[in-house]
Amino acid sequence: MKWKIRFCKKDRIYTLEETCTKCGGRTAIPHPTRFSPIDKYVRYRIENKLGKKIDC
Ligand SMILES: [Zn+2]
């Protein structure tokens, strides 16, 4: 299964949900070029939060 990391522009947080868990707004797929430099960091955080490994 392929995880899709999404981003809330309003809260500047990453989530796997289509709706932001914080503000309830729609999340968007982060821009690839801006996303890649923080990819490892974001994955680490989300993996910790969810307690499972993600692959993307
Ligand atoms: Zn939000």
Side-chain angles (χ1 to χ4, degrees), residues 8 11 20 23:
C8 177
D11 300 308
C20 176
C23 72

Side-chain angles (χ1 to χ4, degrees), residues 2-13:
K2 204 154 193 164
W3 290 89
K4 293 249 168 87
I5 295 180
R6 303 177 69 91
F7 179 69
C8 177
K9 288 177 185 172
K10 196 177 171 185
D11 300 308
R12 295 169 160 270
I13 57 167

